Amino acid sequence: MIAILDFGSQTSQLIARRLRESKVYCELFPWNAPKEKVLANSPEGFVLSGGPASVYEAGAPQLPQYVLNSGKPILGICYGMQALTNALGGEVAASARREYGAANIHSSVPNPILTGDQQVWMSHADRIEQLPKGFTVIASSDNAPMAAMADIARKRFGIQFHPEVQHTPGGSELLRRFAVEVCGAKQDWTPQNIVEQSVSRVREQVGSEQVLAAISGGVDSSVAAALVNRAIGDQLVAVFVDTGLLRKDEREQVMQALRATLDSELVVVDAAEEFLSALKGITDPEEKRSIVGERFIRVFEAQAKALGHPRFLLQGTIYPDVIESRAAEHEHAQRIKTHHNVGGLPEQMDFELVEPLRYLFKDEVRRVGLSLGLPASLVWRQPFPGPGLAVRCLGEVTEERLARLRAADAIFTHELEAANLLGREDAALAQAFAVLLPVRSVGVMGDRRIYQETVALRAVTSQDYMTADWARLPGDLVTKISSRIVNEVEGINRIVYDVSSKPPATIEWE
């Protein structure tokens, strides 16, 4: 395996994802994780992530000495390169010109990870001023004369750019070369391998005890339930909660899909009134998430009481939820928003969480789902946030506004599916949905003045959901969707299309 030390970058898990794409097993650790924990599985090499700090500042994260003492190959990325330089006696300083975005690098020195000219993605305000002893420059850019360095004899490398992001086209190959050709790591990380390891870990965690599954009917919770069902069979009880925050006809679709997929018990709880009452008057998105998270747990505690107080609660938490919420194991990263099933959980609850997908991205989850034999219609189901329409209904959440949003969203997704842009493995779009805005504007219908709400349409392309680009939909399709919503959904008179990418925006609005 390859050990990745996380220095607080928002894209640290993408490094793991790229390595896994090369079928190389890897694990991600905080930079200051105990030495024994990092070395437990005898890593073949180390990757040092980027991070927001400057290595020369007081209190900045530093490279642990045991990494150097191990004698294993090292690849430092951005801050990781600077931490490696600093630890080995080189010099890092603030750059006179910051570098954010695309850049071209040139490599003319023979080395095992880089060749020729490449486009890369830079994101740094510091640069290497003096190389450590034994290192040579292996690539440069206009603004970074030391864009990459190497001590080839000791198999130590540093790169100033980010190979893990899609904007570095050759990045995956660079990481593969380091892991496979430099470190000698085995290429045996496959969906079946993930299933086998997850099943083993679940059995070890829960033993012979019962597990409640928090099921939404989405991809993540369904795959998580299938994994745990594979591990412990009828010890699993699937609980689906109708929060009143679901999409159009979703309750019926979810129940049908789950009953056809799982051989575990399925309990359906109608809690719409309870959730809507708790959300009355609430407009802040973080407060909405916290309320929904707490209500979920309280509902499951009530179910647990009826079932004899099972100790474990299964959730379909995936890594984007964790990293954006700045969960405990990534406390050095910036919190983007609190996901209801991570930072939104109440401090006091009666469950120990089972989260077999916690360190997988959406595309990995889908591959695992297919490996488990789940139907494609379920695996390629549209992503849906845990708080549901509460965070797509901006402003106060009411039954009237939710009905308006459901209708608009159903029209949008129906037209995209009819155009073969959504809902299938080879679909051009990763995600699409409608957002109801707390913005009213003047309009005219039937020669009468109206003052109604606005819907924003959001459609994105993405592979990993950590970065995303807005979709360039055909104009005539957007026109048809807009016309249908305005004519068929009462209370909406204006449609806008979201042309924001992630970053700087997130995919969801709240």
Side-chain angles (χ1 to χ4, degrees):
M1 57 88 74
I2 301 296
I4 305 166
L5 297 191
D6 181 8
F7 287 92
S9 172
Q10 290 293 332
T11 58
S12 293
Q13 183 67 6
L14 288 181
I15 302 170
R17 183 178 179 276
R18 301 301 176 217
L19 289 170
R20 292 172 186 175
E21 286 175 347
S22 297
K23 300 181 180 179
V24 173
Y25 178 62
C26 56
E27 291 187 17
L28 184 65
F29 304 91
W31 68 273
N32 57 354
K35 168 185 173 181
E36 296 74 21
K37 183 176 181 180
V38 179
L39 298 181
N41 289 332
S42 302
E44 298 295 332
F46 296 88
V47 176
L48 316 177
S49 84
S54 292
V55 72
Y56 48 78
E57 294 177 342
Q62 301 295 327
L63 178 62
Q65 185 62 40
Y66 73 81
V67 175
L68 299 173
N69 293 344
S70 72
K72 297 295 184 178
I74 301 171
L75 172 63
I77 297 172
C78 199
Y79 185 89
M81 175 186 184
Q82 296 158 15
L84 180 62
T85 298
N86 188 64
L88 293 173
E91 183 179 344
V92 180
S95 176
R97 179 179 152 206
R98 298 181 178 185
E99 195 169 23
Y100 297 102
N104 292 310
I105 62 168
H106 175 69
S107 176
S108 58
V109 178
N111 68 88
I113 65 170
L114 277 172
T115 56
D117 297 339
Q118 293 190 37
Q119 177 183 310
V120 299
W121 189 261
M122 297 282 193
S123 181
H124 63 97
D126 295 330
R127 71 179 191 178
I128 309 302
E129 295 288 343
Q130 181 178 330
L131 292 174
K133 184 178 179 179
F135 280 78
T136 58
V137 175
I138 60 173
S140 60
S141 71
D142 290 342
N143 188 51
M146 301 180 188
M149 65 180 192
D151 180 341
I152 295 176
R154 296 188 180 185
K155 298 183 179 180
R156 293 173 175 176
F157 304 87
I159 56 176
Q160 190 61 74
F161 55 92
H162 288 269
E164 69 271 26
V165 301
Q166 295 177 17
H167 309 294
T168 300
S172 293
E173 174 61 12
L174 184 155
L175 290 169
R176 187 203 66 79
R177 289 183 179 182
F178 174 74
V180 177
E181 298 176 13
V182 176
C183 299
K186 294 180 179 179
Q187 293 178 281
D188 57 3
W189 180 242
T190 63
Q192 185 57 39
N193 184 292
I194 297 173
V195 170
E196 291 173 0
Q197 291 201 18
S198 298
V199 165
S200 176
R201 288 172 180 169
V202 168
R203 287 173 177 166
E204 182 179 355
Q205 181 184 5
V206 308
S208 60
E209 297 195 42
Q210 197 173 49
V211 178
L212 276 181
I215 300 291
S216 68
V219 178
D220 306 329
S221 63
S222 298
V223 172
L227 263 176
V228 174
N229 190 50
R230 171 79 64 90
I232 62 173
D234 60 9
Q235 292 170 233
L236 177 70
V237 178
V239 179
F240 169 61
V241 178
D242 183 352
T243 63
L245 304 170
L246 302 175
R247 292 168 288 195
K248 186 177 180 182
D249 300 327
E250 191 155 28
R251 174 171 174 164
E252 293 74 18
Q253 294 168 2
V254 167
M255 292 172 61
Q256 182 179 1
L258 291 178
R259 285 174 173 153
T261 304
L262 302 177
D263 56 11
S264 302
E265 181 182 356
L266 174 62
V267 177
V268 180
V269 181
D270 187 346
E273 185 176 342
E274 180 179 344
F275 277 82
L276 292 178
S277 177
L279 289 166
K280 185 175 181 180
I282 304 299
T283 60
D284 179 77
E286 287 293 274
E287 194 172 353
K288 288 179 182 178
R289 290 176 177 275
S290 180
I291 288 170
V292 172
E294 184 192 16
R295 288 295 94 199
F296 258 107
I297 293 299
R298 300 312 173 212
V299 168
F300 281 107
E301 285 176 345
Q303 292 303 309
K305 183 177 180 180
L307 293 167
H309 295 285
R311 174 183 166 191
F312 296 98
L313 172 64
L314 171 66
Q315 290 199 140
T317 306
I318 63 173
Y319 196 77
D321 302 339
V322 175
I323 197 167
E324 290 185 342
S325 299
R326 199 181 66 183
E329 65 267 46
H330 293 279
E331 60 184 8
H332 301 287
Q334 292 291 308
R335 175 178 288 131
I336 305 303
K337 60 187 176 185
T338 301
H339 288 262
H340 83 285
N341 54 349
V342 186
L345 293 175
E347 292 184 8
Q348 299 296 324
M349 60 181 187
D350 297 337
F351 296 108
E352 180 179 333
L353 296 180
V354 177
E355 298 175 311
L357 311 179
R358 189 176 179 87
Y359 298 107
L360 299 183
F361 279 99
K362 182 74 73 174
D363 61 320
E364 292 180 304
V365 171
R366 286 188 166 126
R367 288 199 295 270
V368 168
L370 292 172
S371 177
L372 288 166
L374 295 178
S377 59
L378 184 60
V379 170
W380 295 104
R381 189 178 177 83
Q382 271 281 283
F384 194 51
L389 296 182
V391 290
R392 291 181 181 174
C393 184
L394 277 58
E396 185 176 7
V397 180
T398 66
E399 289 190 41
E400 180 184 14
R401 298 190 75 226
L402 286 171
R404 197 170 290 155
L405 175 56
R406 283 192 191 95
D409 182 75
I411 291 170
F412 185 34
T413 54
H414 175 268
E415 291 296 339
L416 292 177
E417 289 172 353
N420 291 321
L421 295 174
L422 197 65
R424 45 193 283 182
E425 182 174 0
D426 59 350
L429 302 181
Q431 190 170 354
F433 54 89
V435 179
L436 185 64
L437 307 183
V439 176
R440 293 180 181 271
S441 62
V442 174
V444 178
M445 284 187 177
D447 293 329
R448 297 181 59 185
R449 178 188 185 275
I450 56 173
Y451 191 56
Q452 296 180 341
E453 289 192 299
T454 302
V455 159
L457 304 179
R458 179 71 157 148
V460 300
T461 59
S462 180
Q463 288 185 338
D464 49 47
Y465 291 82
M466 289 298 292
T467 60
D469 194 16
W470 64 276
R472 279 67 170 174
L473 297 180
D476 57 348
L477 178 60
V478 175
T479 298
K480 181 179 181 181
I481 293 167
S482 175
S483 177
R484 281 198 60 192
I485 292 174
V486 170
N487 281 282
E488 297 176 31
V489 184
E490 186 177 351
I492 296 173
N493 71 334
R494 192 174 298 272
I495 311 298
V496 298
Y497 188 61
D498 186 345
V499 295
S500 307
S501 296
K502 176 185 180 180
T506 54
I507 296 176
E508 297 286 344
W509 276 49
E510 289 190 340

